[in-house]
Amino acid sequence: MRGLALVSLLAVAVLAVAGCADAVAGSPAPTTGPSVSASATGTPGLSAAIDPCTLLTDPQIQQFGLLPGGRDTAAGGRDCNWRKTGQYSLGVEVFDHEGLDQLSSVGRTITNYPVGSHDGRQVSSQDGGCGVYVQITRNSIVVVAAVDVLDAAQSCPLADQYATLIEPELPAEQR
C-alpha cells in the first residue's frame, strides 16, 4: 500500500504541473502545442533552500500520528512523505522550476486557493487524490498532497490542513 501511495502522490504532482502553457487565472487549460517549461525561464532562487522534510515540525508529526515515508526526487522535485497507517499518505514536494501557470487541468479540477499570504491552487484528481499548490515564485511551488485517503471526500481537507500548517515556514512569495 505504501508503494501505491507514493506512486499516486507523485503522479498527482507530476501530471498536475506538466503539459500546460499560458493559463487564465483560475481556469488553466491544456494547449495543443508544446508545453512550456518554467526551467527555461527561471532559476531555483528562494525554493532551492526549502527542505520539504522540515516543513512539518516534530511536534506536529507526533500530534497527527504520522510515520516517516522517506525522501524522493523521482518526479522532478524534492519530496518528503509521511503516512498515517491505514488512513492516508501525505507528501510535500518542492518544484524549483515549475509554477502555478504550468498546471495542467487534464483529468483534474483546479481552483484558485490562496494559503495564508501565498497564491495557490487546489487540485483534485479523478482518483480521489488532492493537492494544494503554494506559489513561492512564478517559477517555483510547494505541493502538499493527500492520497490513499479512506474517504476520498477528506483528501482536500487534509491537504488544506497540512498546507496551512507549513505555509508559515515558507519564504514570502515573490510575485
Side-chain angles (χ1 to χ4, degrees), residues 9-10 14 19 54 62 69-70 72 79 81 91 100 104 128 130 143 171-172:
L9 175 63
L10 294 176
V14 170
T54 63
Q62 291 172 1
D72 195 358
D79 175 69
N81 55 77
L100 293 178
S104 171
C130 186
V143 179

Side-chain angles (χ1 to χ4, degrees), residues 130-142:
C130 186
V132 174
Y133 292 61
V134 182
Q135 182 166 281
I136 304 303
T137 69
R138 288 179 39 93
N139 297 314
S140 61
I141 54 175
V142 174

Side-chain angles (χ1 to χ4, degrees), residues 72-175:
D72 195 358
T73 57
R78 294 181 312 284
D79 175 69
C80 191
N81 55 77
W82 298 266
R83 67 187 183 288
K84 186 156 184 174
T85 304
Q87 295 185 34
Y88 59 89
S89 295
L90 171 73
V92 177
E93 189 159 12
V94 180
F95 288 92
D96 296 321
H97 301 288
E98 304 291 341
L100 293 178
D101 289 341
Q102 285 83 38
L103 295 179
S104 171
S105 61
V106 177
R108 56 199 55 75
T109 302
I110 300 174
T111 39
N112 286 332
Y113 202 80
V115 180
S117 63
H118 291 81
D119 285 340
R121 304 287 186 274
Q122 185 179 72
V123 179
S124 56
S125 65
Q126 294 172 343
D127 67 2
C130 186
V132 174
Y133 292 61
V134 182
Q135 182 166 281
I136 304 303
T137 69
R138 288 179 39 93
N139 297 314
S140 61
I141 54 175
V142 174
V143 179
V144 180
V147 296
D148 294 333
V149 179
L150 290 178
D151 177 2
Q154 291 301 308
S155 61
C156 284
L158 282 168
D160 175 57
Q161 171 186 330
Y162 288 106
T164 301
L165 284 174
I166 70 159
E167 189 270 340
E169 303 301 316
L170 300 175
E173 179 180 351
Q174 301 295 306
R175 298 176 192 232

Side-chain angles (χ1 to χ4, degrees), residues 3-56:
L4 180 60
L6 294 176
V7 169
S8 297
L9 175 63
L10 294 176
V12 168
V14 170
L15 292 174
V17 295
C20 183
D22 298 323
V24 177
S27 302
T31 64
T32 55
S35 62
V36 174
S37 172
S39 59
T41 60
T43 58
L46 289 175
S47 65
I50 300 172
D51 178 352
C53 291
T54 63
L55 294 175
L56 286 176

